[in-house]
């Protein structure tokens, strides 16, 4: 794949996000699996309302605190690390394309499930997970829900089991 194609794809994702009124505060397209576009934290609730309304409503009794709105861009035939988090749940919604998702309650990778546009994936703390690029690019909305807002999750909460 040409590097310029990846940059062009990210530019298109950025245009779409900003056209929806979101402010981009960070961009990382250096990951081997693709990368991410970070949205202004002050827009987390609006991002949640747009992409995760049903999840938020079902979580209200559990005091959901959506944060860290991000858009993941998954490159074809690439995958994020096999990982989990202890201090956060994550919600993903496929926005564009299809993506493979592997989850497990233990360290063993299980069967790959194909998720399509509008599919939502809920990952509780401790749930092992991996996103896998299929034949084309996929775009995923991601939102965190901290287990304890007094001790919020951060990037140090990523426990990678396998690349």
């Amino acid at each position: 794949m040409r590097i310029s194609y990846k940059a062009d794809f990210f530019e298109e994702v950025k245009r779409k996000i900003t056209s929806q009124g979101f402010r981009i505060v960070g961009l990382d397209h250096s990951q081997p699996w693709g990368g991410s576009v970070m949205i202004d934290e002050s827009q987390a609730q609006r991002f949640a309302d747009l992409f995760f309304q049903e999840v938020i409503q079902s979580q209200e009794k559990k005091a959901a605190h959506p944060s860290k709105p991000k858009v993941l861009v998954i490159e074809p035939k690439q995958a994020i690390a096999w990982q989990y988090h202890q201090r956060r749940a994550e919600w993903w919604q496929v926005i564009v394309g299809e993506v493979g998702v592997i989850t497990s309650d233990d360290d063993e990778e299980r069967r790959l499930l194909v998720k399509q546009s509008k599919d939502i994936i809920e990952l509780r703390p401790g749930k092992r997970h991996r996103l896998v690029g299929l034949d084309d690019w996929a775009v995923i909305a991601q939102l965190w829900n901290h287990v304890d807002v007094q001790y919020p999750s951060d990037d140090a909460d990523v426990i990678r089991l396998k690349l």
Side-chain angles (χ1 to χ4, degrees):
M1 179 191 69
R2 296 184 344 259
I3 295 297
S4 63
Y5 182 76
K6 185 175 185 177
D8 290 346
F9 192 82
F10 267 86
E11 282 303 314
E12 182 58 33
V13 170
K14 284 173 41 182
R15 270 192 295 278
K16 179 70 172 171
I17 291 168
T18 56
S19 75
Q20 293 175 311
F22 291 106
R23 287 181 303 281
I24 296 172
V25 296
L27 175 70
D28 175 10
H29 55 75
S30 67
Q31 300 301 319
W33 49 265
S36 58
V37 180
M38 286 67 73
I39 309 298
D40 187 330
E41 180 81 17
S42 71
Q43 295 182 305
Q45 189 60 55
R46 185 167 169 269
F47 189 83
D49 292 343
L50 179 62
F51 294 109
F52 303 101
Q53 185 63 38
E54 291 176 23
V55 174
I56 298 296
Q57 288 174 346
S58 71
Q59 296 287 325
E60 282 180 7
K61 295 175 188 140
K62 298 177 185 175
H65 300 282
S67 66
K68 302 293 183 190
K70 187 184 291 187
V71 175
L72 305 176
V73 179
I74 309 300
E75 193 169 321
K77 309 296 183 196
Q78 299 297 321
I80 67 168
W82 181 236
Q83 64 187 355
Y84 68 98
H85 316 282
Q86 295 177 320
R87 299 189 329 261
R88 72 175 180 246
E90 287 185 353
W91 301 320
W92 298 336
Q93 183 187 116
V94 181
I95 301 172
V96 174
E98 291 183 332
V99 68
V101 177
I102 303 170
T103 62
S104 177
D105 291 325
D106 58 35
D107 293 348
E108 184 179 334
E109 288 188 62
R110 307 270 189 244
R111 179 172 72 103
L112 181 134
L113 300 173
V114 176
K115 299 294 183 174
Q116 301 173 359
S117 183
K118 304 288 187 200
D119 285 347
I120 293 178
I121 301 100
E122 296 182 59
L123 302 165
R124 69 183 185 291
K127 185 78 162 183
R128 278 63 167 163
H129 57 275
R130 183 191 294 269
L131 283 170
V132 179
L134 300 176
D135 294 328
D136 206 350
W137 292 85
V139 180
I140 315 295
Q142 178 191 54
L143 198 61
W144 294 4
N145 184 24
H146 301 290
V147 171
D148 179 354
V149 293
Q150 301 303 316
Y151 183 51
S153 178
D154 55 22
D155 288 332
D157 188 30
V158 177
I159 300 164
R160 289 181 179 85
L161 302 167
K162 244 193 300 193
L163 292 179

